Amino acid sequence: MCLRRTQIKELPADLKVGGNLYLNYTGITILPEDLTVNGDLSIYCTKIEKLPENLTVVGNLDASETAITKLPDKFNIKGNICLKDRKINILPDNLQVNGDLDLSNTQINKLPANLNVAGSLNLHNTRINKLRACQPSSCTARSGLA
C-alpha cells in the first residue's frame, strides 16, 4: 500500500497490510498499536515520534528522518532497520536485528546490552567512541562489532 505524499493523516486502529506500507511524506503522526506489515514499512520523512510496542514488520523498517528518539522494548522487525539521520539516542537491550542496522548520523552514544545484528552495523558519524568486549557468539554483526 503506497500512501506517499497523500493527504491521509490517520490509519485505522486494526490495520493489517499484506505487503509493503509506504507512508513517506504524509501527515501521519501515529501508528496503530497493533500494526502488522507483511512486507516493508517506510515512514521516512514523517512526523511519527514513536513506534508502537506491538509493531510487527516482516520486511525492512525505514524510520530515517523521523522524530523517533527511542525504540520500543519489544517489537518485531524481521529485516533491516534504518534509523539514519535522526535524533534517536536509545536502543533497547536485547535488540535482535535479522538484517542490517543503520545508525549513521544519529545521536546514539552507546550500544545496548546483548545487541545482535545478523547483517552489517553502520555506526558512521555517531557518538559511539568505545565498543564493549564480547564473546564471538554474541558479536554477530559483520562490521562494527566483529
Side-chain angles (χ1 to χ4, degrees):
M1 177 184 308
C2 183
L3 301 176
R4 288 181 185 139
R5 299 186 189 272
T6 64
Q7 299 302 312
I8 295 171
K9 298 201 184 296
E10 190 174 323
L11 296 172
D14 59 347
L15 184 63
K16 308 268 187 269
V17 180
N20 300 326
L21 178 57
Y22 299 111
L23 302 175
N24 311 29
Y25 304 103
T26 64
I28 294 171
T29 58
I30 298 173
L31 294 174
E33 275 306 309
D34 292 314
L35 177 62
T36 297
V37 180
N38 287 313
D40 297 339
L41 173 61
S42 181
I43 57 174
Y44 173 87
C45 281
T46 64
K47 294 185 179 177
I48 293 171
E49 295 181 0
K50 72 174 203 151
L51 296 173
E53 288 286 333
N54 297 322
L55 175 64
T56 297
V57 178
V58 175
N60 303 315
L61 170 66
D62 184 353
S64 54
E65 297 197 34
T66 63
I68 294 170
T69 58
K70 69 178 239 176
L71 295 180
D73 289 333
K74 295 180 182 177
F75 70 119
N76 188 3
I77 309 295
K78 300 286 187 194
N80 302 325
I81 300 177
C82 181
L83 301 169
K84 68 181 181 177
D85 300 321
R86 276 308 30 150
K87 296 178 182 175
I88 192 151
N89 54 23
I90 299 172
L91 295 175
D93 288 341
N94 305 308
L95 178 62
Q96 303 293 308
V97 181
N98 295 319
D100 300 338
L101 177 59
D102 188 348
L103 299 172
S104 59
N105 300 313
T106 63
Q107 302 296 312
I108 295 285
N109 59 17
K110 73 175 188 170
L111 295 174
N114 301 313
L115 173 65
N116 187 338
V117 179
S120 296
L121 175 62
N122 186 345
L123 300 175
H124 173 75
N125 200 28
T126 63
R127 295 180 177 185
I128 294 173
N129 59 15
K130 180 171 83 171
L131 296 175
R132 291 185 318 275
C134 57
Q135 299 301 319
S137 63
S138 64
C139 296
T140 58
R142 288 182 295 206
S143 64
L145 289 180

